Amino acid sequence: MFVNENASLAAGDYAATQSGYVIGIDVGGTFTDAVCSDGQTTWRAKSPTNPARFSDGVMGACSMLAEHAGLTPAQLMRRVTRFGLGTTAVTNVLATRRGRTVGLLTTKGFENHLHAMRNHRDVREGWIEKFWMPVEPEAVRGIEERIDRAGEIIRPLVAGDLVAAAQDMITHNGVNALAVSFLWSFRNPAHEQQAVALLREHFPQIPVYSGADLHPIMREYERTTLAVLNAFAADALDGVEELEEQLRALGLQCPMLLLHSGGGAISAQEARQTPLALASSGPAAGSVAAGEVAMKVGLPDAICCDMGGTSIDVAVVTNGVPERRHTAELGGIVIGQSAIDVESVGAGGGSIAWIDDRGLLRVGPQSARATPGPVCYGRGGTEPTVTDAMVLLGYIDPELFNRGGMQLDVEGARAACARVGERLGMDAMAVAHGIREIALAEMSKAMRARISSGGLDTRRYGVIAFGGSGSLFATAMAKELDLPWVLTPALASVLSAYGAATADIRRERSRAVDQFLPLKNNDAYETLRELIERAEEDLAAQDVEPNSRSVHCEAEVRFHRQNASLTLTLEKEELDSQGLLQGFKDSYIRQFGASSITAKTPIELSTLRVTGIGKTIRAVLPQSLDQVEDANLVPISHRDVYLQPDAPTNVPVFAAADFRVGHRLSGPALVDVGDTTLWAPDGSVVELIAGGTLKTTIR
């Protein structure tokens, strides 16, 4: 399956040149998306993902890119100057719960804190059960050591006891990965550092992860879960290294950059030190790319809707920057990791329709993924999916799917829907219509929850739709939620891959401070300077030139003993006590109202955070196309779409490639983008704006 797009690209300070190519890859659950740019032309490709060996999809996509660029794969790889990869390797390990056997070493007396379970509960057959935790209670050992809240050593660490405890877990519990997380280690990491050094010396074959090293911030639970999950996912990068060897054999000379959940890129070596950072990297990269699109078209506030074959991922972009959270949640487990705030719902193109015990039709979260895939793919799937329903209802053209690179089996989809309908007393079309409505309701619920929790003004925010299925559903969701517009970027179906080809190198350093404002000594100032130096060193280690480096400094400030804090940006990389005080009060009033301020409660600086940002060579978005005087746009065909299960509506179909600035069309209509389709509902208006982006105005 091969998709290409020749488009003029704007020159940029870090754009690729004719002498080199930039490649971005996003490995999804169903397809592996790829983007290649030489600074003047961009190409894109989709290849089926092999869940058992994701490198197959990557190599297949690279071969397609090389073919369209008129090169052999080896010729292309020798000329690649940047290779970015967003991978589901870590996500898959967590989803399947197949990782290393983890042992936890913690402070004696606190062995049970991890299994107190501040996570979600599972409901199974009416019973509430404790959620999965990647370390068994029997594989936890308490160590005789103690540091108090001020960082003073009360009870020294006994090296022999630590090594003996680790050996016991390895021998009797089959442990092959270790996590260390001691009480108050963020105040004084001496014992944790000593423990890690001893464990690596005595057990060099076993990976060891330290909570204080990964997340030197207050909140022992989040610090510990982060160390444990990193230990559990220690093998997840084995497939990445295998892929890198294959690419190097073809001639790749530049280092592979891996996308992380913060929307930036790190090297494979750095990823080994914190593999969990790669979880949800694809949606994060897509959100960063969506922010770039939002700024280019002058609509900087948007809700990102990334819908692929397995899930829909929702994020919020404000002023072109994706919103972040500093306590993430993975698979129901709360961890202390900074990430772009992406929420996922198991409702994608491959989501399977099924009937529950009450006899009701349900959709997802189970997915057909790439293997066997939807029934209409003809690869052995038997259960109807959202894609099957959309084909049967006429939203997807079975002859032109993926630019005609794949013929879809309409009758197979019809038969699958009919089998489900037999149990419900419904025909195939009614089942297909029900699948679409249920999937749409699940997606809208996720977006509505994000709007409510963020207090978003729906008059300001529109939707940026991307992923293979995003534009088929985003306009309907926007209409239901009273959102004013939807953007479909020129690279919508592969926008996360574009994000992989553009993401800056990002390294974050943070440290707890916990001092009242205004500051009484220089400790916080020294901490900020040290964090800036370490961030600069991180970028230098990645060979980022000094003139391509920058740092972004933040402070978390809160009322004394309050659980939550507000994040404030530090201007000019400096601490200003009075400025922080006033900035916190102003921000607090904006979010919670003037009556929420307590005049006598002390305000404290809880955490300092520095993010080092390194600019690298990157792809760029398409330039805007010329305006036309003739605003008439001629449809390429007409197609019956079943807006109701028993009554087709004949709607015009337009080609996205025919659009120029000044063209406008009114819904209902379909716009064929080649590797995705835009549905324009009744009353909407579609037009081309900056960067080859289609804007659908909802009325």
PDB file of all heavy atoms in Angstrom, residues 19 67 171 180 187 230 243 250 256 359 403 409 472 477 516 549 590 695 698:
ATOM      1  N   SER A  19      20.381  17.945  -0.364  1.00  0.00           N
ATOM      2  CA  SER A  19      21.457  16.978  -0.142  1.00  0.00           C
ATOM      3  C   SER A  19      21.095  15.921   0.887  1.00  0.00           C
ATOM      4  O   SER A  19      21.859  14.996   1.120  1.00  0.00           O
ATOM      5  CB  SER A  19      22.722  17.708   0.331  1.00  0.00           C
ATOM      6  OG  SER A  19      22.468  18.375   1.555  1.00  0.00           O
ATOM      7  N   GLU A  67      10.873   4.206  -3.066  1.00  0.00           N
ATOM      8  CA  GLU A  67      10.350   3.999  -4.409  1.00  0.00           C
ATOM      9  C   GLU A  67       9.782   5.295  -4.981  1.00  0.00           C
ATOM     10  O   GLU A  67      10.033   5.634  -6.136  1.00  0.00           O
ATOM     11  CB  GLU A  67       9.269   2.916  -4.365  1.00  0.00           C
ATOM     12  CG  GLU A  67       8.633   2.626  -5.717  1.00  0.00           C
ATOM     13  CD  GLU A  67       7.518   1.604  -5.612  1.00  0.00           C
ATOM     14  OE1 GLU A  67       7.465   0.873  -4.605  1.00  0.00           O
ATOM     15  OE2 GLU A  67       6.685   1.556  -6.538  1.00  0.00           O
ATOM     16  N   THR A 171      16.639 -15.319  43.572  1.00  0.00           N
ATOM     17  CA  THR A 171      16.649 -16.774  43.732  1.00  0.00           C
ATOM     18  C   THR A 171      15.252 -17.349  43.926  1.00  0.00           C
ATOM     19  O   THR A 171      14.884 -18.354  43.306  1.00  0.00           O
ATOM     20  CB  THR A 171      17.534 -17.168  44.930  1.00  0.00           C
ATOM     21  OG1 THR A 171      18.862 -16.663  44.723  1.00  0.00           O
ATOM     22  CG2 THR A 171      17.577 -18.685  45.098  1.00  0.00           C
ATOM     23  N   VAL A 180      14.449   0.587  42.846  1.00  0.00           N
ATOM     24  CA  VAL A 180      14.822   1.057  44.181  1.00  0.00           C
ATOM     25  C   VAL A 180      14.111   2.380  44.432  1.00  0.00           C
ATOM     26  O   VAL A 180      14.198   3.306  43.620  1.00  0.00           O
ATOM     27  CB  VAL A 180      16.350   1.263  44.306  1.00  0.00           C
ATOM     28  CG1 VAL A 180      16.712   1.673  45.723  1.00  0.00           C
ATOM     29  CG2 VAL A 180      17.094   0.006  43.900  1.00  0.00           C
ATOM     30  N   ARG A 187      14.868  14.183  48.802  1.00  0.00           N
ATOM     31  CA  ARG A 187      15.584  15.174  49.618  1.00  0.00           C
ATOM     32  C   ARG A 187      17.082  14.881  49.642  1.00  0.00           C
ATOM     33  O   ARG A 187      17.913  15.781  49.545  1.00  0.00           O
ATOM     34  CB  ARG A 187      15.054  15.135  51.046  1.00  0.00           C
ATOM     35  CG  ARG A 187      13.706  15.747  51.224  1.00  0.00           C
ATOM     36  CD  ARG A 187      13.851  17.238  51.466  1.00  0.00           C
ATOM     37  NE  ARG A 187      12.559  17.784  51.808  1.00  0.00           N
ATOM     38  CZ  ARG A 187      11.975  18.763  51.156  1.00  0.00           C
ATOM     39  NH1 ARG A 187      12.560  19.291  50.103  1.00  0.00           N
ATOM     40  NH2 ARG A 187      10.816  19.228  51.534  1.00  0.00           N
ATOM     41  N   ASN A 230       9.336   1.248  34.720  1.00  0.00           N
ATOM     42  CA  ASN A 230      10.528   1.276  33.864  1.00  0.00           C
ATOM     43  C   ASN A 230      11.263  -0.056  33.924  1.00  0.00           C
ATOM     44  O   ASN A 230      11.730  -0.566  32.897  1.00  0.00           O
ATOM     45  CB  ASN A 230      11.453   2.418  34.290  1.00  0.00           C
ATOM     46  CG  ASN A 230      11.147   3.716  33.588  1.00  0.00           C
ATOM     47  OD1 ASN A 230      11.374   3.858  32.388  1.00  0.00           O
ATOM     48  ND2 ASN A 230      10.603   4.672  34.321  1.00  0.00           N
ATOM     49  N   LEU A 243      15.656  -2.957  14.838  1.00  0.00           N
ATOM     50  CA  LEU A 243      15.317  -2.105  13.699  1.00  0.00           C
ATOM     51  C   LEU A 243      16.491  -1.204  13.334  1.00  0.00           C
ATOM     52  O   LEU A 243      16.824  -1.046  12.150  1.00  0.00           O
ATOM     53  CB  LEU A 243      14.090  -1.259  14.032  1.00  0.00           C
ATOM     54  CG  LEU A 243      13.756  -0.137  13.044  1.00  0.00           C
ATOM     55  CD1 LEU A 243      13.396  -0.705  11.675  1.00  0.00           C
ATOM     56  CD2 LEU A 243      12.622   0.727  13.592  1.00  0.00           C
ATOM     57  N   LEU A 250      21.398  -0.945   5.886  1.00  0.00           N
ATOM     58  CA  LEU A 250      21.010  -0.308   4.616  1.00  0.00           C
ATOM     59  C   LEU A 250      21.817   0.954   4.335  1.00  0.00           C
ATOM     60  O   LEU A 250      21.800   1.460   3.217  1.00  0.00           O
ATOM     61  CB  LEU A 250      19.521   0.052   4.635  1.00  0.00           C
ATOM     62  CG  LEU A 250      18.525  -1.046   4.264  1.00  0.00           C
ATOM     63  CD1 LEU A 250      17.109  -0.508   4.387  1.00  0.00           C
ATOM     64  CD2 LEU A 250      18.773  -1.555   2.846  1.00  0.00           C
ATOM     65  N   MET A 256      19.210   7.337  15.379  1.00  0.00           N
ATOM     66  CA  MET A 256      17.750   7.275  15.396  1.00  0.00           C
ATOM     67  C   MET A 256      17.249   8.052  16.608  1.00  0.00           C
ATOM     68  O   MET A 256      17.724   7.868  17.729  1.00  0.00           O
ATOM     69  CB  MET A 256      17.281   5.824  15.475  1.00  0.00           C
ATOM     70  CG  MET A 256      15.760   5.679  15.482  1.00  0.00           C
ATOM     71  SD  MET A 256      15.232   3.982  15.805  1.00  0.00           S
ATOM     72  CE  MET A 256      15.850   3.178  14.331  1.00  0.00           C
ATOM     73  N   GLY A 359     -27.563  -8.203  25.870  1.00  0.00           N
ATOM     74  CA  GLY A 359     -28.106  -8.218  24.522  1.00  0.00           C
ATOM     75  C   GLY A 359     -28.020  -6.880  23.821  1.00  0.00           C
ATOM     76  O   GLY A 359     -28.757  -6.624  22.865  1.00  0.00           O
ATOM     77  N   ARG A 403      -5.843   5.527  -1.737  1.00  0.00           N
ATOM     78  CA  ARG A 403      -5.498   5.886  -3.114  1.00  0.00           C
ATOM     79  C   ARG A 403      -5.572   4.694  -4.054  1.00  0.00           C
ATOM     80  O   ARG A 403      -4.794   4.567  -5.002  1.00  0.00           O
ATOM     81  CB  ARG A 403      -4.112   6.528  -3.193  1.00  0.00           C
ATOM     82  CG  ARG A 403      -4.027   7.878  -2.514  1.00  0.00           C
ATOM     83  CD  ARG A 403      -2.720   8.558  -2.854  1.00  0.00           C
ATOM     84  NE  ARG A 403      -2.525   9.732  -2.043  1.00  0.00           N
ATOM     85  CZ  ARG A 403      -2.917  10.961  -2.375  1.00  0.00           C
ATOM     86  NH1 ARG A 403      -3.544  11.165  -3.506  1.00  0.00           N
ATOM     87  NH2 ARG A 403      -2.681  11.981  -1.572  1.00  0.00           N
ATOM     88  N   ASP A 409     -13.518  -5.347   0.672  1.00  0.00           N
ATOM     89  CA  ASP A 409     -14.559  -6.344   0.439  1.00  0.00           C
ATOM     90  C   ASP A 409     -15.859  -5.875   1.084  1.00  0.00           C
ATOM     91  O   ASP A 409     -16.105  -6.096   2.277  1.00  0.00           O
ATOM     92  CB  ASP A 409     -14.108  -7.687   1.032  1.00  0.00           C
ATOM     93  CG  ASP A 409     -15.125  -8.796   0.817  1.00  0.00           C
ATOM     94  OD1 ASP A 409     -16.155  -8.549   0.171  1.00  0.00           O
ATOM     95  OD2 ASP A 409     -14.883  -9.913   1.327  1.00  0.00           O
ATOM     96  N   LEU A 472     -13.436  11.615   9.259  1.00  0.00           N
ATOM     97  CA  LEU A 472     -14.750  11.016   9.043  1.00  0.00           C
ATOM     98  C   LEU A 472     -15.689  11.270  10.220  1.00  0.00           C
ATOM     99  O   LEU A 472     -16.909  11.264  10.063  1.00  0.00           O
ATOM    100  CB  LEU A 472     -14.626   9.509   8.824  1.00  0.00           C
ATOM    101  CG  LEU A 472     -14.378   9.032   7.394  1.00  0.00           C
ATOM    102  CD1 LEU A 472     -14.164   7.524   7.385  1.00  0.00           C
ATOM    103  CD2 LEU A 472     -15.525   9.405   6.476  1.00  0.00           C
ATOM    104  N   MET A 477     -18.747  15.148  15.411  1.00  0.00           N
ATOM    105  CA  MET A 477     -18.552  15.446  16.827  1.00  0.00           C
ATOM    106  C   MET A 477     -18.614  16.940  17.083  1.00  0.00           C
ATOM    107  O   MET A 477     -19.230  17.401  18.053  1.00  0.00           O
ATOM    108  CB  MET A 477     -17.207  14.887  17.300  1.00  0.00           C
ATOM    109  CG  MET A 477     -17.185  13.387  17.492  1.00  0.00           C
ATOM    110  SD  MET A 477     -15.663  12.817  18.287  1.00  0.00           S
ATOM    111  CE  MET A 477     -14.487  13.004  16.968  1.00  0.00           C
ATOM    112  N   PHE A 516       9.199  28.585  51.339  1.00  0.00           N
ATOM    113  CA  PHE A 516       8.185  29.630  51.337  1.00  0.00           C
ATOM    114  C   PHE A 516       8.648  30.827  50.521  1.00  0.00           C
ATOM    115  O   PHE A 516       9.849  31.129  50.439  1.00  0.00           O
ATOM    116  CB  PHE A 516       7.868  30.079  52.765  1.00  0.00           C
ATOM    117  CG  PHE A 516       7.155  29.036  53.586  1.00  0.00           C
ATOM    118  CD1 PHE A 516       7.641  28.645  54.826  1.00  0.00           C
ATOM    119  CD2 PHE A 516       5.992  28.449  53.116  1.00  0.00           C
ATOM    120  CE1 PHE A 516       6.995  27.692  55.578  1.00  0.00           C
ATOM    121  CE2 PHE A 516       5.330  27.494  53.862  1.00  0.00           C
ATOM    122  CZ  PHE A 516       5.837  27.107  55.093  1.00  0.00           C
ATOM    123  N   ARG A 549      20.476  25.523  20.996  1.00  0.00           N
ATOM    124  CA  ARG A 549      19.960  25.123  22.299  1.00  0.00           C
ATOM    125  C   ARG A 549      19.170  26.253  22.949  1.00  0.00           C
ATOM    126  O   ARG A 549      19.466  27.430  22.759  1.00  0.00           O
ATOM    127  CB  ARG A 549      21.099  24.739  23.246  1.00  0.00           C
ATOM    128  CG  ARG A 549      22.012  23.651  22.760  1.00  0.00           C
ATOM    129  CD  ARG A 549      23.154  23.474  23.762  1.00  0.00           C
ATOM    130  NE  ARG A 549      24.300  22.785  23.176  1.00  0.00           N
ATOM    131  CZ  ARG A 549      25.521  22.822  23.675  1.00  0.00           C
ATOM    132  NH1 ARG A 549      25.754  23.521  24.780  1.00  0.00           N
ATOM    133  NH2 ARG A 549      26.510  22.176  23.084  1.00  0.00           N
ATOM    134  N   ARG A 590      -7.644  33.671  38.393  1.00  0.00           N
ATOM    135  CA  ARG A 590      -8.197  33.405  37.067  1.00  0.00           C
ATOM    136  C   ARG A 590      -8.855  32.032  37.012  1.00  0.00           C
ATOM    137  O   ARG A 590      -9.892  31.845  36.380  1.00  0.00           O
ATOM    138  CB  ARG A 590      -7.098  33.490  35.996  1.00  0.00           C
ATOM    139  CG  ARG A 590      -6.741  34.897  35.571  1.00  0.00           C
ATOM    140  CD  ARG A 590      -5.951  34.878  34.264  1.00  0.00           C
ATOM    141  NE  ARG A 590      -4.738  34.087  34.352  1.00  0.00           N
ATOM    142  CZ  ARG A 590      -3.563  34.548  34.742  1.00  0.00           C
ATOM    143  NH1 ARG A 590      -3.436  35.823  35.098  1.00  0.00           N
ATOM    144  NH2 ARG A 590      -2.506  33.754  34.786  1.00  0.00           N
ATOM    145  N   LYS A 695     -10.495  23.672   6.035  1.00  0.00           N
ATOM    146  CA  LYS A 695     -11.260  24.140   7.186  1.00  0.00           C
ATOM    147  C   LYS A 695     -12.740  23.898   6.930  1.00  0.00           C
ATOM    148  O   LYS A 695     -13.284  24.357   5.923  1.00  0.00           O
ATOM    149  CB  LYS A 695     -11.020  25.623   7.450  1.00  0.00           C
ATOM    150  CG  LYS A 695     -11.828  26.174   8.626  1.00  0.00           C
ATOM    151  CD  LYS A 695     -11.648  27.675   8.781  1.00  0.00           C
ATOM    152  CE  LYS A 695     -12.485  28.219   9.933  1.00  0.00           C
ATOM    153  NZ  LYS A 695     -12.389  29.703  10.027  1.00  0.00           N
ATOM    154  N   ILE A 698     -18.645  24.770  10.915  1.00  0.00           N
ATOM    155  CA  ILE A 698     -19.878  24.105  11.338  1.00  0.00           C
ATOM    156  C   ILE A 698     -20.934  25.161  11.625  1.00  0.00           C
ATOM    157  O   ILE A 698     -20.707  26.097  12.394  1.00  0.00           O
ATOM    158  CB  ILE A 698     -19.641  23.249  12.603  1.00  0.00           C
ATOM    159  CG1 ILE A 698     -18.437  22.310  12.392  1.00  0.00           C
ATOM    160  CG2 ILE A 698     -20.887  22.464  12.949  1.00  0.00           C
ATOM    161  CD1 ILE A 698     -18.604  21.309  11.284  1.00  0.00           C
TER     162      ILE A 698
END
